[in-house]
């Protein structure tokens, strides 16, 4: 196994000796008393069509340990009850990029390591991935990474100030391939309008997907939105930029002949007409 601090924890690798049983959890007790909550926003906000669905998979002992130790320091429950001070959250006045959906966090940890002057607020609902990313950040000594738990829409709408983000990353969102589920896709005009209100003028919106029909829809919707402009002069897809690492999931797709498309759009400056002046 590699000694690299960004080497992901092997599935099922425990920190405790083999065969050590876990203590049973009393009924009604939180799974991680000091970790992410199961439903941080609760019933405070109206239920809407979700663009995500929580995945059920086993939390390894190493991931559980990271959640218990590091969540109070680097974790954030998205409850929608306050506006975040990003300088306070990161302990420094640095540009902050929001990443929605980070999977197991390997690529996120690499990007944070290679760009220590940028804060990454990485949001997901997958508990094993949250624990894995915290573990990677701890082992690499990263200070510019925070992990959010919950609905990114509530985060954008209720907890982030206008023009507070230096960028937004949406890598390999659920394509919801069945036609009756297309309404669940994240990249839609309403989402882009909300995202634009939280992005600084000139901020980069970077999407990537290996589902070609969804890529075409993303390109169409982004091109039509007045708050964004394509960074590609030809108005098409972009090559994968050097700052986005090739993930294991992506590599497996490429081996199977899947096409991966990146979209790089910028938040256009506000005009007098758009501000109502």
């Amino acid at each position: 196994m590699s000694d690299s601090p960004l080497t992901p924890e092997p599935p099922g690798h425990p920190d405790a000796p083999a065969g050590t049983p876990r203590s049973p959890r009393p009924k009604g007790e939180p799974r991680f008393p000091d970790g992410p909550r199961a439903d941080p926003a609760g019933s405070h906000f109206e239920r809407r069509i979700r663009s995500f669905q929580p995945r059920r998979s086993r939390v390894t002992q190493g991931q559980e340990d990271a959640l218990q130790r590091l969540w109070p320091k680097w974790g954030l429950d998205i409850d929608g009850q306050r506006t975040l001070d990003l300088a306070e959250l990161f302990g420094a006045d640095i540009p902050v990029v929001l990443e929605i959906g980070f999977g197991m966090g390997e690529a996120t940890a690499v990007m944070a390591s290679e760009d220590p002057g940028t804060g990454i607020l990485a949001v997901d609902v997958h508990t094993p991935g949250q624990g894995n990313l915290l573990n990677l950040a701890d082992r690499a000594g990263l200070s510019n990474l925070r992990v959010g738990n919950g609905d990114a829409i509530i985060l954008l709408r209720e907890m982030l100030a206008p023009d507070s983000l230096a960028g937004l990353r949406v890598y390999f969102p659920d394509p919801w391939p069945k036609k009756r589920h297309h309404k669940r896709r994240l990249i839609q005009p309403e989402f882009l309008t909300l995202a634009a209100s939280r992005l600084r003028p000139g901020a980069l919106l970077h999407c990537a997907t290996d589902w070609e029909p969804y890529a075409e829809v993303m390109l169409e919707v982004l091109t039509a939105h007045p708050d964004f402009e394509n960074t590609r002069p030809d108005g098409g897809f972009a090559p994968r930029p050097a700052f986005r690492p090739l993930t294991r999931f992506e590599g497996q797709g490429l081996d199977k002949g899947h096409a991966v498309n990146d979209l790089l759009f910028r938040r256009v400056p506000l005009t007098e007409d758009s501000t109502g002046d």
Side-chain angles (χ1 to χ4, degrees):
M1 187 174 69
S2 169
D3 292 329
S4 167
L6 294 181
T7 300
E9 176 190 326
H13 173 72
D15 291 336
T20 302
R22 300 190 189 190
S23 302
R25 186 173 76 254
K27 185 177 181 180
E29 182 178 306
R31 187 178 185 186
F32 306 107
D34 296 318
R37 286 151 51 192
D39 186 10
S43 59
H44 296 295
F45 301 96
E46 75 280 2
R47 292 296 177 184
R48 59 177 180 80
I49 297 174
R50 294 281 178 87
S51 61
F52 63 89
Q53 54 183 355
R55 293 173 287 156
R56 307 299 179 192
S57 56
R58 191 174 73 86
V59 177
T60 70
Q61 189 68 48
Q63 293 161 0
E64 180 174 337
D65 174 68
L67 287 167
Q68 295 283 44
R69 289 188 302 109
L70 302 171
W71 189 260
K73 179 181 179 182
W74 288 334
L76 167 70
D77 276 315
I78 299 171
D79 57 13
Q81 299 301 300
R82 65 198 187 284
T83 300
L84 295 177
D85 182 332
L86 294 180
E88 179 181 351
L89 180 66
F90 283 87
D93 189 10
I94 57 177
V96 175
V97 171
L98 173 64
E99 181 178 356
I100 299 177
F102 55 79
M104 295 305 290
E106 294 99 330
T108 305
V110 170
M111 289 187 289
S113 176
E114 293 182 348
D115 186 11
T118 296
I120 299 179
L121 176 52
V123 175
D124 210 307
V125 294
H126 185 47
T127 309
Q130 294 167 351
N132 199 60
L133 180 53
L134 288 170
N135 205 8
L136 293 172
D138 186 39
R139 291 160 60 190
L142 303 178
S143 62
N144 60 326
L145 186 58
R146 300 293 182 268
V147 180
N149 168 55
D151 191 337
I153 299 296
I154 291 177
L155 174 68
L156 283 163
R157 191 181 66 207
E158 308 292 341
M159 300 180 70
L160 291 175
D163 301 336
S164 58
L165 294 174
L168 174 59
R169 298 168 180 167
V170 184
Y171 299 152
F172 305 100
D174 194 325
W176 296 102
K178 295 181 180 179
K179 187 174 182 179
R180 69 176 183 271
H181 291 156
H182 286 182
K183 60 189 176 183
R184 295 183 178 275
R185 289 175 169 174
L186 181 64
I187 305 302
Q188 310 230 25
E190 296 81 3
F191 169 77
L192 294 177
T193 298
L194 173 60
S197 71
R198 302 305 185 247
L199 288 167
R200 300 172 186 170
L204 190 68
L205 169 59
H206 184 193
C207 302
T209 181
D210 66 333
W211 191 262
E212 289 189 82
Y214 193 15
E216 295 290 348
V217 171
M218 285 183 179
L219 182 60
E220 179 182 344
V221 171
L222 275 161
T223 300
H225 201 285
D227 293 334
F228 292 96
E229 61 183 5
N230 200 332
T231 63
R232 294 284 297 173
D234 62 3
F237 298 109
R240 177 176 65 87
F243 67 79
R244 182 176 76 76
L246 186 71
T247 67
R248 286 185 297 168
F249 169 82
E250 184 178 358
Q252 292 168 359
L254 291 171
D255 289 342
K256 296 175 183 177
H258 296 180
V260 175
N261 288 293
D262 284 72
L263 301 96
L264 293 168
F265 278 71
R266 290 201 181 278
R267 171 70 166 97
V268 299
L270 294 173
T271 64
E272 291 188 0
D273 288 344
S274 64
T275 59
D277 295 336

